[in-house]
């Protein structure tokens, strides 16, 4: 289930988007849409998970904020595209899990391994809401802005036609 709750316009550093708020019965998700994407092919699409450190606290210890900015710039250049924001802090494990991994990260352990070492899943994110949003918006196919093959595979498994991958670099 995915229900559209509201929509409005938001001006960003990288152009004006329509923000559409969705609810899946558990969490809210946001779609930032630039241009007309309904029925379109190869629409640039970033599926982005929340990151308190980067987006709220301006941390330089991860690249989440940078990935979001690059994604919006790529969409602005193309004149159309979509960013889907999912509330999945700490790779879906929550901020508590993220805070518990900090000592291991400082020792050089990769983030996913650190989650597992402190008793959480390496990656507990669920991209099904993104697939439901894309179907709701009637996008025919997307080009994913990502470096994460799991997102691409999951969306494909959920019936989204992914025709290409655009790395998060300008």
């Amino acid at each position: 289930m995915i229900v559209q709750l509201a929509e409005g316009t938001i001006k960003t550093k990288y152009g004006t988007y329509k923000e559409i708020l969705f609810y899946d019965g558990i969490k809210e998700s946001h779609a930032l849409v630039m241009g007309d994407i309904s029925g379109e092919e190869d629409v640039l699409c970033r599926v982005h998970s929340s990151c308190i450190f980067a987006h709220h606290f301006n941390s330089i210890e991860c690249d989440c904020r940078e990935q979001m900015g690059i994604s919006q710039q790529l969409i602005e250049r193309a004149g159309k595209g979509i960013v889907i924001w999912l509330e999945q802090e700490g790779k879906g494990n929550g901020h508590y899990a993220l805070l518990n991994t900090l000592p291991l990260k400082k020792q050089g352990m990769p983030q996913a391994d650190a989650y597992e070492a402190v008793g959480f899943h390496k990656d507990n994110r669920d991209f099904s809401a993104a697939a439901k949003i894309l179907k709701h918006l009637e996008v025919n196919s997307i080009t994913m802005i990502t470096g994460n093959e799991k997102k691409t595979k999951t969306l494909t498994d959920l019936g989204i036609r992914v025709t290409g991958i655009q790395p998060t670099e300008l």
Side-chain angles (χ1 to χ4, degrees), residues 52-76:
I52 291 171
F53 278 175
H55 296 291
H56 296 283
F57 303 146
N58 294 308
S59 171
I60 58 172
E61 295 179 2
C62 70
D63 62 355
C64 294
R65 185 181 190 99
E66 180 182 54
Q67 288 178 15
M68 175 62 91
I70 290 170
S71 298
Q72 287 182 281
Q73 289 175 68
L74 291 167
I75 289 168
E76 180 184 36

Side-chain angles (χ1 to χ4, degrees), residues 44-49 63-75 77 82-83 143-149 151-152 164-170:
L44 283 176
C45 178
R46 169 77 183 168
V47 177
H48 195 86
S49 297
D63 62 355
C64 294
R65 185 181 190 99
E66 180 182 54
Q67 288 178 15
M68 175 62 91
I70 290 170
S71 298
Q72 287 182 281
Q73 289 175 68
L74 291 167
I75 289 168
R77 286 181 188 172
I82 182 171
V83 175
T143 298
M144 291 285 300
I145 304 172
T146 190
N148 182 338
E149 291 180 19
K151 286 181 191 179
T152 304
I165 295 174
Q166 165 67 54
T168 48
E169 54 192 45
L170 293 174

Side-chain angles (χ1 to χ4, degrees), residues 79-96:
K80 68 179 174 184
I82 182 171
V83 175
I84 298 174
W85 178 281
L86 303 174
E87 292 297 328
Q88 302 191 119
E89 176 68 20
K91 290 194 185 260
N93 293 308
H95 197 67
Y96 175 74

Side-chain angles (χ1 to χ4, degrees), residues 14-18 32-46 70-83 138-143 145 166:
Y14 309 110
T16 301
Y17 288 81
K18 177 171 51 172
L32 296 180
V33 178
M34 180 179 281
D36 184 12
I37 61 168
S38 179
E40 293 292 312
E41 304 282 340
D42 305 324
V43 175
L44 283 176
C45 178
R46 169 77 183 168
I70 290 170
S71 298
Q72 287 182 281
Q73 289 175 68
L74 291 167
I75 289 168
E76 180 184 36
R77 286 181 188 172
K80 68 179 174 184
I82 182 171
V83 175
E138 300 177 341
V139 175
N140 283 343
S141 67
I142 60 171
T143 298
I145 304 172
Q166 165 67 54

Side-chain angles (χ1 to χ4, degrees), residues 7-41:
E7 68 178 66
T9 302
I10 181 171
K11 293 181 179 181
T12 75
K13 288 171 53 175
Y14 309 110
T16 301
Y17 288 81
K18 177 171 51 172
E19 178 192 5
I20 306 170
L21 178 63
F22 292 92
Y23 182 65
D24 68 1
I26 299 171
K27 296 180 183 179
E28 292 180 348
S29 300
H30 307 262
L32 296 180
V33 178
M34 180 179 281
D36 184 12
I37 61 168
S38 179
E40 293 292 312
E41 304 282 340

